[in-house]
Amino acid sequence: MNRNFSKLLAIIVLVFFSWTFAGVFQVAYAIDNLPQTSNNTHSSRTPKSEERFQKAIEEIGEILEDPSTDREAKAAKVKEKKAEIENLDTEIRKQFAETEKKLREARLPNEILQRHHKFVKHYEDNLNELKANLDSIEKTKGLAVEVEIEKAKKHLQRVKPPKKHIPLDPNKLPHRTPKIEKREPRLKKEDFERDFPNPKKAQAQNKPILVASIGPLKGLLSSDSDSSSSDLLAQTSNQPTPADLAENIDIQFTPEIRAKAQELGYNPVKIYNWVRNNIEFVPTYGSIQGAHMTLLTKQGNAFDTASLLIALLRASNIPARYVYGTIEIPIDKVMNWVGGFTDPTSALDFIASGGIPVTGIISEGKVTKARIEHVWVEAWVDYVSSRGSRHKMGQGDTWILLDASFKQYKYKMGIDLFSSLSFNGKQFLQEYIGDPQDTLPYQYYSQQMFSWLDVHMPSATIEDIIGADDIDLTKTIYEQNFPYLLGTLPYRTIVEGGKYSEIPDVLRHKVSFEISEGILGREGITITKNLPEISGKRVTLSYIPATANDEALVTQYGGSILNVPPYLLNVKPVIKIDGADVRTGGSFGMGSGQTLMVTFYDPAYGTDIIENTIIAGTYSAITIQAQKTPIEIVTQRMEMLRNNSKNIDSVTLDDLLGELLYDIGLSYFHHLTFENDLYAKTLQMVYIKGASEAITTLDVNVSYLFGIPRSVSQGGLGIDVDRNISIPASITGDRNRTKEFMVISGMTSSAWENRIFEIFLDTPSVSAMKLLKYANQQGVPIYTIDSTNIGQLLPAIQVSSEIKMEIQNAINAGKKVVISQTELQYYEWSGVGYVVLDTTTGAGAYMISGGLSGGGTAKVLTNPPITMSKDSWQYQRMKYAFTNIVRSVSDGLKGTLYLKGGKDPQTGLDCSGFTKYVYGNAGYMIPDGAVYQYNYFRDNNMLFPTPKESDLFFWKNRDGSYHTGIVRDFPREGEIGIIDAPGAKRKIDYRTFDTNGEPWKSSILGYGRVIE
């Protein structure tokens, strides 16, 4: 195989997981820092006295529960533990006395002092009960001691600290596909009117309507839009109403929407052509993104595409509305439209999987047409004289039908690697776990691809493999730029069910958040939002002092809720959306456990409830993605984080910590998008993303005394991906491919649950895939448990009783489980990783101890400083992260093919394309072209005579052309190490120069500095 091309694909194999901006990634980090033996992974942190006390109590419980220890031995062992507890009691009581003294000297409200007394009494009562029980065990003889042992066991069970583990439902695995529920399309107008009543007019609700304002409204609307008679006249004469120009949940006149409308000259023909030729159709059902996010992602279903088209028209003062009905399309057009299928049944099933009512029409034993429920647009256009091409504002005369979502595509097919590799997901899982390299499943898959190509197609080009120079070019829209509006639809309309100025609420996807404590849901929060309202927005859950007394307490302890003994402090949860408070709950004890329920509502599939345990005092961001996540969305948020970090005094903690947590989740979903696109393409499949959710949390560690929180400290970062919905389909109808795709996609999602933290924070992290590979590297046996061997293997594994019960339930439900024989210690994290796999569908749960369907950091975070205190955030310290982005991404691109004029690492980069791409990933935008980049830095006083790491360098070649690259390091005195894309070497690479020698000394023009 061509080796230059191998290097091009090597970016996919070895580094492409870091190509997106997103954070701090060092290519060699994972390999260089992977612990090789368990001896160097244990935590060195000294346990607190209450932690040692709780540990001693747990060990007493284990002694009493141990069936292999006789009564006399139990009595002797608990006597030793009793002495240990009494020694620790002295330390703890000293701490109590110091706390009371502090509270009294601070003259805090009596309520706070009473909380302290209540906790001390709880401690004393339970300690006395424990000691009495242990004394009885020691003194009682014969069989009667069993009664005392049971009494002690019941007491210890009663005061046992709460567990965060939420049992897994083996019939609703987090990484899954929705079940196909085929629905027949409605064929009668009255059926649409019954199921989707037209929303009440805004005028009737006496609510103000915001309309576009670039020109006069005269002639656009009925003459007196405030009167009921005018409304009636407008309806009867079919004239536009104010609602046809208004903003609503799905249509917002954001700066981006207004700018695009202006760019298109407020012309309905140009607007229609642009939306049709630029927005990729996604076969899902209901309003998901709204207009704004559809514009940013450049993808959307019929509802979202219609929302974008209407938003651009309304922003241009052109009234427009939705039309919903059933259409009929030839099956060959349908197969092309939804993914390039060659099998009609598979195409119809794929549409149905997205929730769209659809049915095939059979003629002479073959599917010849498809009937589909669909949404299109009507626009009130100046049509009579010019068919909209010379639209005059305020001169509309005709409702014109427009559908920008229906289109045809050009497809370019590459090699069928599913057949070529005889790909088997379960076998791939076992081989990947057994591979000693610290690679991602995506990298391991690509290595298998390379091996096959080297043998069977050694001279293959990238076009041979994926069908084009770029993945995006393997599917392109057949563009049509109409000179005027045709006024007709490109298919047959079976029934026009209804016309709506606003999408009926029952057709919107929704999500609700509910926080409660206990069975009765005491003092919780419930909030419901439509997905278009929060699409692309940061949703966070944090905690603040509950009352003025609690605020005074926190102030006395230095301003951080983590400094306060948690039994003294009450907090209340706050849900924010993009930094704005939207709901505040009641009072909870700091460190106590709450239940967070996230409920998804899908107009096609109904509700799906996700349940999590949240500790009061944590800080979480909830990232919800209902479509594929392109790089542009991530880069935009990353730039926001960078700007917030530079302006700490003028932003909130949510703009810093909340944004960081949200960006981690967003980046996670982006990486899955890119890698799943490659899997789907090479396995000859298509897939769409269903509404999915990840909760990224800065956790708190809680120490307990007899079941009540005694102290808290900042913990690590974790990500819990409870709902990861994919809808894949084979274009040929091979259902086995769907199953195997789900297995490798699930493995990838798990691997990114640790890798995302290693990228952002440069810290060791864990996930199910990481722990299974690590267990294999440490020589710990890996078991695959099913119904044939559970009786033999379940007793052999050394894990918690909760996980054993989870395994038993999974096997009873017909699943398989992959797990290591024992728990592991990885840096400061201990536990086990395991996979619950549905071998019929490929769905899976990729779990780590604690019931977490995700991953987290294995060490306490120290650099960069990620804390819950805004005062500790400093840009000078945060610059470390942004510098690392530049270093990490540039390192990761080594080996990428040089391509003159190249701007995309998938196909190749030239020198300025390389630097622009790297800095763009860190949120810095610089011009195209080496000479223009040089002029930019020079003209903005950003060019310096001496270099720093991550600067750009500029030199002038003998032929007068300019060259640029990135300063990587300074290996020794008088020497500079750079990474660049020199045409002569045909690839991006690292090299060194003597700064006092030639050609460097005479060619160098200066060093561009972006990171201040």
Side-chain angles (χ1 to χ4, degrees):
M1 191 169 96
N2 181 283
R3 289 301 156 187
N4 284 332
F5 173 67
S6 294
K7 291 299 182 182
L8 165 63
L9 283 188
I11 189 62
I12 296 175
V13 179
L14 296 177
V15 222
F16 208 94
F17 54 83
S18 69
W19 75 284
T20 63
F21 85 98
V24 186
F25 177 70
Q26 294 175 326
V27 171
Y29 163 76
I31 296 174
D32 292 344
N33 290 280
L34 181 68
Q36 297 304 307
T37 70
S38 59
N39 294 331
N40 66 351
T41 60
H42 291 280
S43 169
S44 59
R45 186 177 69 86
T46 302
K48 300 176 183 178
S49 56
E50 59 265 28
E51 292 174 325
R52 288 180 284 144
F53 186 95
Q54 183 61 42
K55 180 66 174 175
I57 290 178
E58 291 173 359
E59 289 172 350
I60 290 173
E62 292 170 0
I63 292 168
L64 298 179
E65 293 283 357
D66 186 1
S68 64
T69 305
D70 60 34
R71 293 188 295 272
E72 290 75 14
K74 286 181 179 180
K77 289 182 178 181
V78 297
K79 183 178 180 180
E80 293 178 9
K81 287 296 173 185
K82 180 187 171 188
E84 182 180 344
I85 284 174
E86 288 173 339
N87 289 333
L88 290 168
D89 175 50
T90 302
E91 294 182 33
I92 291 170
R93 288 181 185 275
K94 181 180 178 182
Q95 294 171 5
F96 287 162
E98 291 171 351
T99 298
E100 179 159 349
K101 180 181 177 183
K102 182 181 180 73
L103 297 178
R104 290 187 182 279
E105 289 177 349
R107 299 184 181 278
L108 289 169
N110 187 59
E111 174 191 5
I112 304 299
L113 194 59
Q114 291 305 312
R115 292 176 190 171
H116 176 68
H117 291 159
K118 181 179 178 180
F119 178 77
V120 172
K121 186 176 187 305
H122 169 84
Y123 168 78
E124 290 174 342
D125 289 347
N126 282 281
L127 179 60
N128 290 335
E129 183 174 353
L130 174 63
K131 289 166 68 175
N133 289 337
L134 298 183
D135 285 342
S136 297
I137 292 171
E138 182 182 350
K139 294 175 182 178
T140 305
K141 305 299 181 183
L143 293 176
V145 75
E146 294 294 343
V147 176
E148 302 303 324
I149 289 174
E150 285 301 315
K151 184 179 176 182
K153 286 163 60 176
K154 288 180 180 179
H155 172 242
L156 293 177
Q157 189 64 36
R158 191 171 69 247
V159 296
K160 194 174 183 179
K163 288 187 175 292
K164 292 180 64 176
H165 190 105
I166 293 180
L168 174 71
D169 181 352
N171 295 310
K172 193 175 77 173
L173 302 176
H175 177 69
R176 64 185 186 274
T177 60
K179 293 181 180 179
I180 297 178
E181 297 180 7
K182 293 185 178 180
R183 299 185 298 154
E184 292 288 323
R186 297 165 183 83
L187 299 177
K188 297 180 180 179
K189 184 177 180 66
E190 52 266 33
D191 292 339
F192 283 93
E193 292 173 342
R194 177 196 66 227
D195 295 337
F196 312 111
N198 208 322
K200 294 180 180 179
K201 299 256 187 266
Q203 300 97 313
Q205 301 174 22
N206 294 318
K207 294 181 179 178
I209 294 179
L210 177 63
V211 299
S213 56
I214 62 167
L217 299 180
K218 183 178 179 181
L220 288 173
L221 311 174
S222 52
S223 58
D224 183 4
S225 59
D226 291 330
S227 68
S228 57
S229 59
S230 295
D231 287 340
L232 179 60
L233 177 62
Q235 293 174 35
T236 334
S237 60
N238 204 23
Q239 293 288 309
T241 68
D244 297 324
L245 277 172
E247 289 187 299
N248 54 50
I249 289 171
D250 312 279
I251 297 168
Q252 296 289 310
F253 302 147
T254 63
E256 291 85 355
I257 291 288
R258 291 184 183 275
K260 180 56 70 173
Q262 182 180 35
E263 175 191 322
L264 297 171
Y266 306 113
N267 181 282
V269 177
K270 291 181 179 179
I271 289 171
Y272 168 74
N273 283 338
W274 188 89
V275 177
R276 186 207 174 279
N277 292 333
N278 287 276
I279 305 302
E280 181 180 355
F281 175 68
V282 180
T284 54
Y285 184 75
S287 178
I288 296 174
Q289 296 184 115
H292 176 70
M293 283 304 293
T294 304
L295 174 64
L296 296 185
T297 64
K298 290 187 169 56
Q299 57 182 325
N301 62 22
F303 290 84
D304 290 331
T305 304
S307 292
L308 174 59
L309 179 57
I310 291 172
L312 292 171
L313 291 167
R314 291 183 184 180
S316 304
N317 271 347
I318 300 171
R321 60 195 183 192
Y322 303 89
V323 187
Y324 186 30
T326 296
I327 63 175
E328 187 175 276
I329 308 176
I331 193 62
D332 60 323
K333 301 289 186 184
V334 171
M335 291 191 294
N336 176 284
W337 183 31
V338 300
F341 285 83
T342 58
D343 177 64
T345 302
S346 296
L348 296 176
D349 286 347
F350 188 51
I351 296 170
S353 296
I356 302 173
V358 61
T359 190
I361 305 300
I362 308 296
S363 177
E364 298 181 356
K366 296 181 179 179
V367 178
T368 58
K369 301 174 184 177
R371 284 182 179 167
I372 306 171
E373 284 192 14
H374 191 57
V375 175
W376 57 96
V377 173
E378 279 189 344
W380 184 252
V381 176
D382 176 14
Y383 193 73
V384 173
S385 61
S386 65
R387 294 192 176 185
S389 62
R390 296 190 300 274
H391 176 81
K392 297 177 182 178
M393 193 174 299
Q395 300 300 313
D397 53 43
T398 309
W399 285 107
I400 297 300
L401 301 175
L402 303 169
D403 187 354
S405 66
F406 179 75
K407 61 204 71 175
Q408 297 290 279
Y409 294 87
K410 305 173 189 176
Y411 295 95
K412 297 180 179 180
M413 305 304 295
I415 299 169
D416 178 8
L417 288 175
F418 182 85
S419 299
S420 300
L421 298 176
S422 300
F423 185 76
N424 179 282
K426 295 188 292 296
Q427 179 181 339
F428 183 85
L429 172 63
Q430 296 293 344
E431 292 175 350
Y432 173 73
I433 293 171
D435 181 60
Q437 301 176 86
D438 184 44
T439 57
L440 292 165
Y442 179 71
Q443 297 168 285
Y444 190 66
Y445 172 78
S446 298
Q447 289 172 2
Q448 292 189 345
M449 176 181 70
F450 277 138
S451 297
W452 186 88
L453 290 170
D454 281 338
V455 172
H456 298 93
M457 297 181 66
S459 59
T461 66
I462 192 167
E463 293 92 338
D464 296 326
I465 296 172
I466 65 171
D469 285 339
D470 189 310
I471 290 238
D472 290 341
L473 297 178
T474 63
K475 178 186 178 182
T476 55
I477 297 170
Y478 272 109
E479 291 192 9
Q480 291 183 307
N481 289 292
F482 297 101
Y484 51 78
L485 300 177
L486 299 181
T488 59
L489 297 173
Y491 40 68
R492 179 189 174 202
T493 302
I494 301 298
V495 58
E496 191 178 90
K499 299 178 180 181
Y500 308 92
S501 299
E502 181 174 353
I503 292 175
D505 194 58
V506 295
L507 289 172
R508 291 188 177 112
H509 286 247
K510 297 177 175 62
V511 62
S512 69
F513 309 98
E514 180 179 350
I515 303 165
S516 61
E517 182 178 63
I519 298 175
L520 300 179
R522 181 177 67 86
E523 299 184 293
I525 296 178
T526 300
I527 180 173
T528 299
K529 290 289 183 180
N530 297 287
L531 273 192
E533 291 181 279
I534 62 172
S535 182
K537 295 182 179 178
R538 178 180 80 235
V539 179
T540 58
L541 168 62
S542 56
Y543 291 82
I544 60 175
T547 65
N549 287 347
D550 292 298
E551 289 180 1
L553 176 66
V554 172
T555 300
Q556 189 62 35
Y557 275 86
S560 171
I561 61 175
L562 298 182
N563 294 339
V564 184
Y567 64 85
L568 293 176
L569 179 64
N570 287 338
V571 293
K572 55 186 179 183
V574 180
I575 291 180
K576 300 174 186 282
I577 297 179
D578 267 352
D581 293 5
V582 294
R583 195 65 53 87
T584 301
S587 177
F588 297 98
M590 177 70 178
S592 63
Q594 275 84 59
T595 298
L596 169 63
M597 295 177 62
V598 182
T599 302
F600 288 85
Y601 168 75
D602 184 311
Y605 289 107
T607 58
D608 180 30
I609 300 175
I610 307 300
E611 187 174 322
N612 289 276
T613 296
I614 298 289
I615 300 299
T618 56
Y619 211 114
S620 301
I622 305 169
T623 306
I624 295 175
Q625 289 297 100
Q627 300 280 19
K628 296 179 182 179
T629 308
I631 178 59
E632 291 79 9
I633 302 300
V634 185
T635 302
Q636 183 186 66
R637 298 303 302 212
M638 192 66 184
E639 183 178 12
M640 184 183 300
L641 174 61
R642 182 174 61 82
N643 289 333
N644 291 347
S645 299
K646 291 175 63 177
N647 299 283
I648 290 176
D649 291 340
S650 60
V651 299
T652 66
L653 179 62
D654 200 70
D655 296 324
L656 298 166
L657 178 56
E659 185 65 33
L660 171 68
L661 298 175
Y662 177 76
D663 289 353
I664 288 172
L666 199 63
S667 176
Y668 168 83
F669 281 120
H670 165 69
H671 286 292
L672 300 193
T673 292
F674 174 76
E675 297 185 9
N676 284 334
D677 277 349
L678 261 292
Y679 296 142
K681 183 62 188 176
T682 54
L683 298 177
Q684 304 220 332
M685 300 181 63
V686 293
Y687 88 101
I688 52 181
K689 191 71 182 169
S692 301
E693 166 254 19
I695 301 176
T696 310
T697 298
L698 180 55
D699 218 334
V700 294
N701 296 323
V702 183
S703 299
Y704 297 88
L705 282 178
F706 293 112
I708 304 295
R710 166 65 181 90
S711 66
V712 293
S713 60
Q714 181 172 302
L717 280 172
I719 187 168
D720 195 3
V721 186
D722 301 296
R723 192 175 198 264
N724 186 17
I725 305 297
S726 293
I727 307 173
S730 163
I731 61 176
T732 62
D734 182 356
R735 295 186 182 276
N736 193 46
R737 295 182 187 232
T738 301
K739 176 182 68 177
E740 311 304 353
F741 172 88
M742 286 299 294
V743 174
I744 191 172
S745 175
M747 293 170 59
T748 297
S749 68
S750 174
W752 271 106
E753 287 157 0
N754 70 274
R755 192 63 65 116
I756 199 68
F757 295 116
E758 295 165 356
I759 287 176
F760 264 79
L761 303 169
D762 194 16
T763 191
S765 302
V766 297
S767 68
M769 283 292 99
K770 177 64 170 275
L771 290 167
L772 286 168
K773 283 181 73 68
Y774 180 60
N776 180 74
Q777 291 164 357
Q778 298 300 303
V780 178
I782 307 295
Y783 295 147
T784 299
I785 304 176
D786 58 26
S787 58
T788 66
N789 59 21
I790 185 171
Q792 173 190 357
L793 295 182
L794 191 60
I797 60 175
Q798 301 166 34
V799 297
S800 70
S801 58
E802 290 92 350
I803 293 178
K804 285 193 173 185
M805 180 63 70
E806 205 154 81
I807 293 172
Q808 183 68 67
N809 292 339
I811 301 305
N812 292 344
K815 309 300 189 291
K816 288 188 176 183
V817 177
V818 181
I819 190 170
S820 60
Q821 184 185 46
T822 64
E823 293 187 344
L824 304 165
Q825 181 74 38
Y826 186 74
Y827 291 94
E828 295 169 8
W829 189 94
S830 61
V832 68
Y834 56 105
V835 178
V836 178
L837 196 63
D838 185 327
T839 56
T840 301
T841 66
Y846 296 80
M847 312 292 292
I848 62 175
S849 293
L852 195 70
S853 176
T857 55
K859 293 178 68 177
V860 174
L861 303 174
T862 57
N863 193 13
I866 308 301
T867 76
M868 294 188 194
S869 173
K870 183 190 168 188
D871 293 340
S872 69
W873 290 72
Q874 299 176 12
Y875 181 62
Q876 292 303 315
R877 297 172 70 186
M878 285 301 295
K879 279 200 308 183
Y880 169 84
F882 301 112
T883 301
N884 248 359
I885 293 171
V886 172
R887 180 174 64 240
S888 304
V889 176
S890 59
D891 278 349
L893 291 173
K894 288 187 292 188
T896 303
L897 187 69
Y898 173 87
L899 179 66
K900 186 176 181 179
K903 299 177 182 179
D904 187 340
Q906 293 185 71
T907 52
L909 297 165
D910 66 7
C911 68
S912 61
F914 165 67
T915 53
K916 180 180 175 66
Y917 177 79
V918 169
Y919 275 95
N921 286 340
Y924 298 96
M925 300 305 297
I926 58 177
D928 292 317
V931 64
Y932 296 107
Q933 290 179 5
Y934 171 74
N935 291 339
Y936 169 80
F937 283 93
R938 181 196 62 195
D939 296 344
N940 286 281
N941 297 318
M942 299 163 63
L943 198 68
F944 296 87
T946 56
K948 288 186 177 180
E949 183 183 338
S950 297
D951 281 353
L952 282 79
F953 69 82
F954 295 99
W955 78 47
K956 197 171 185 178
N957 294 313
R958 292 177 181 175
D959 62 1
S961 62
Y962 285 70
H963 181 65
T964 186
I966 293 173
V967 177
R968 178 60 180 85
D969 56 22
F970 304 94
R972 58 184 61 86
E973 185 74 23
E975 193 171 70
I976 187 170
I978 66 169
I979 300 178
D980 65 342
K985 293 189 68 174
R986 305 301 300 166
K987 66 177 181 179
I988 295 171
D989 210 346
Y990 172 84
R991 50 184 177 153
T992 62
F993 284 91
D994 179 357
T995 54
N996 294 314
E998 297 298 339
W1000 190 271
K1001 188 175 181 180
S1002 61
S1003 300
I1004 194 68
L1005 299 172
Y1007 303 91
R1009 190 160 301 151
V1010 175
I1011 302 176
E1012 302 85 351

